[in-house]
Amino acid sequence: MSRKNELKKTKFDNIYEVEMDNGEVNYVTKFVHNSVRYSEKNLTKLFGITSAKKAFEKLTEIRIELSRGNDVFSRKSNKIDDLFLKYIKITEPEYQKNSIATYNKHIKPIIGHLKIDKVTKDHILRIKENMEKLKLSVNTIRKVKTILNPIFKDAYNDEVINRNVLEKISFVKDVPKPLLTDRLAEPSLDAIRKIYNTALNEEKSYASLFLASIMCTRRIGEICEIRYEDIEDGWVSVRAGTTKTYKNTHHKDSVVEKFPLPKEVLERIDWDNKNPTDKVFIHYKRTFMDKYKEMIDKKCNLKLKSLATDYPIRSHDNRNFIMSILSREFGREVVGSVCLSHSSRSSNMNERYDSIEDNEKLKIFESYWEKLEK
């Protein structure tokens, strides 16, 4: 649509108004920020601005976002099809192939054309119910949540949606996940030793990440967020915003606990010319999960029971391994708090565990590491 007249200054700095051919008044900004000149941006078309005052307030918000490194003027599509294609490009080829097939057959026909804020719980349940009618396996049905979760989480974090509709939906019957002993046909210590020894021989950047998961048993999302500045003298200072246990109760950058890194991880980390705020582990969480799955399924030669078909051994089981192996020696509460960042229901117990000194924590981890190396 063309303009009826030229830009007209308003009483607000860097804000102009212009009348369009249809009589509509649009509000436009031209400004300089951090030595970068931004040409005309139509705030009415971009953000629905309807007054000069609101345009000025929006410009203030824009300057803040630009200072944070956010490209506020990029036109991003919020349609599920487009969000899926953007996400799938950063995943491994094997995962792409399987996920695209599942998406095109079961997800796309129902929600592919919708914007993410228009997707409801009923849409997702319809996908799930259709797959159940086809008598598809538990793993195939569960893939829907695996595929969509990163997309919905990003949209929620970016405030595109105000709630993640996937969180309240169970994609399998609400039964507890089988214990390790119900899935392994060999002692858990024998199994984790196989995984540990296989990981030692993986490509360096993957090995460092795999071994951090195996030996430190933290949640993978937390491990992937570790920055160089978080590591000092072989210990990681955990920021609240990176761990499920504390992210809703502390400021996101406050240090809430510490855990040690073993030599196997430290010697595989690339320390050369890194900025303190750079992430230590270079791979995406999804890439890690795909590569770890490949290692487990094709290289570790684990002895498995039939239940492992629907509930395969994956990286999150590293937390189960350490609990299974160390609980008799140190007790489940201590292992859960020190090694898994589990919060105790008792505040008195929390205080007790918080008071455990670093050398005592190290003894617990070293006991586990020694068992892996035997």
Side-chain angles (χ1 to χ4, degrees):
M1 187 182 299
S2 59
R3 299 172 177 179
K4 201 169 186 177
N5 52 34
E6 296 301 314
L7 296 181
K8 186 189 304 182
K9 284 186 177 180
T10 69
K11 66 178 182 179
F12 299 96
D13 290 343
N14 305 117
I15 301 298
Y16 306 82
E17 67 177 37
V18 60
E19 188 176 356
M20 312 304 286
D21 278 344
N22 65 352
E24 180 184 271
V25 175
N26 283 195
Y27 294 91
V28 175
T29 183
K30 296 189 294 183
F31 64 101
V32 176
H33 184 75
N34 288 345
S35 301
V36 177
R37 184 177 297 278
Y38 291 85
S39 58
E40 293 182 19
K41 303 293 182 184
N42 190 321
L43 300 182
T44 300
K45 288 185 177 180
L46 288 171
F47 306 106
I49 298 302
T50 56
S51 72
K53 181 180 179 182
K54 289 180 179 178
F56 182 73
E57 292 170 349
K58 186 63 182 180
L59 178 57
T60 301
E61 294 176 13
I62 288 170
R63 289 181 183 276
I64 293 171
E65 291 302 310
L66 291 173
S67 296
R68 292 173 176 168
N70 297 326
D71 182 6
V72 296
F73 295 120
S74 64
R75 300 302 298 270
K76 298 178 181 178
S77 170
N78 289 325
K79 196 166 76 168
I80 293 293
D81 274 346
D82 296 329
L83 294 173
F84 170 73
L85 289 175
K86 179 182 176 183
Y87 155 69
I88 206 67
K89 287 178 181 177
I90 65 172
T91 63
E92 292 297 314
E94 183 179 348
Y95 178 79
Q96 288 183 19
K97 181 180 178 181
N98 295 332
S99 297
I100 290 172
T102 300
Y103 178 85
N104 287 339
K105 187 170 184 179
H106 303 291
I107 301 173
K108 181 181 177 69
I110 294 177
I111 64 171
H113 63 289
L114 296 176
K115 289 187 175 181
I116 195 166
D117 61 339
K118 302 300 182 184
V119 177
T120 67
K121 182 178 177 180
D122 287 340
H123 288 118
I124 306 300
L125 287 174
R126 198 187 318 161
I127 295 171
K128 176 176 176 285
E129 289 164 3
N130 287 348
M131 295 175 78
E132 288 172 342
K133 287 177 183 177
L134 294 171
K135 297 184 178 180
L136 299 177
S137 71
V138 170
N139 278 342
T140 301
I141 296 172
R142 191 189 288 123
K143 270 186 185 178
V144 172
K145 192 167 188 177
T146 303
I147 291 168
L148 292 177
N149 234 352
I151 298 169
F152 277 81
K153 281 186 176 180
D154 284 348
Y156 178 77
N157 291 335
D158 293 341
E159 299 182 350
V160 176
I161 55 177
N162 56 23
R163 67 189 182 97
N164 183 349
V165 297
L166 296 173
E167 289 183 348
K168 301 296 184 182
I169 302 174
S170 173
F171 278 75
V172 292
K173 292 181 180 179
D174 293 325
V175 295
K177 185 177 182 179
L179 299 173
L180 271 177
T181 51
D182 294 328
R183 292 180 285 150
L184 291 172
E186 61 184 321
S188 56
L189 184 54
D190 290 348
I192 193 61
R193 281 176 179 163
K194 287 181 182 178
I195 297 170
Y196 164 78
N197 284 306
T198 305
L200 288 175
N201 296 308
E202 292 292 285
E203 188 270 318
K204 186 177 178 181
S205 65
Y206 285 113
S208 62
L209 188 48
F210 291 170
L211 290 165
S213 173
I214 293 163
M215 303 179 76
C216 302
T217 64
R218 310 292 293 199
R219 299 178 181 95
I220 188 57
E222 176 187 323
I223 293 174
C224 288
E225 292 299 318
I226 296 173
R227 303 185 296 222
Y228 282 92
E229 64 185 359
D230 296 332
I231 303 176
E232 184 176 359
D233 297 328
W235 284 77
V236 176
S237 293
V238 180
R239 290 172 284 116
T242 67
T243 181
K244 179 180 176 181
T245 306
Y246 297 102
K247 69 179 181 180
N248 295 322
T249 56
H250 292 69
H251 184 274
K252 64 184 180 67
D253 287 324
S254 61
V255 174
V256 290
E257 57 180 316
K258 294 168 66 179
F259 67 88
L261 290 173
K263 67 181 188 317
E264 290 90 336
V265 174
L266 291 169
E267 65 191 16
R268 287 172 172 79
I269 290 174
D270 181 8
W271 299 97
D272 296 334
N273 304 316
K274 298 299 180 182
N275 293 321
T277 56
D278 285 349
K279 291 182 179 179
V280 174
F281 302 105
I282 63 174
H283 298 295
Y284 291 101
K285 176 181 175 181
R286 183 70 254 171
T287 305
F288 161 84
M289 293 172 70
D290 291 342
K291 282 291 186 180
Y292 195 90
K293 170 183 179 293
E294 180 183 333
M295 182 184 76
I296 292 290
D297 293 346
K298 298 181 179 180
K299 301 177 183 180
C300 290
N301 297 315
L302 299 179
K303 296 177 182 178
L304 303 171
K305 296 179 181 178
S306 59
L307 269 176
T309 302
D310 283 337
Y311 300 93
I313 305 300
R314 293 294 179 256
S315 60
H316 196 76
D317 286 308
N318 291 330
R319 296 165 66 79
N320 296 331
F321 276 114
I322 197 170
M323 178 63 78
S324 173
I325 293 165
L326 290 190
S327 58
R328 288 186 182 180
E329 185 177 353
F330 297 100
R332 295 183 64 84
E333 292 283 356
V334 171
V335 176
S337 177
V338 171
C339 302
L340 305 182
S341 187
H342 282 171
S343 57
S344 172
R345 296 177 183 175
S346 164
S347 61
N348 292 332
M349 291 294 281
N350 276 334
E351 290 173 7
R352 173 188 165 195
Y353 298 139
D354 289 344
S355 69
I356 294 178
E357 296 181 356
D358 288 348
N359 63 333
E360 294 299 318
K361 290 182 181 180
L362 186 58
K363 284 181 182 179
I364 295 172
F365 277 104
E366 285 181 337
S367 174
Y368 188 55
W369 298 343
E370 288 171 5
K371 289 177 174 60
L372 295 179
E373 293 168 2
K374 290 180 179 177

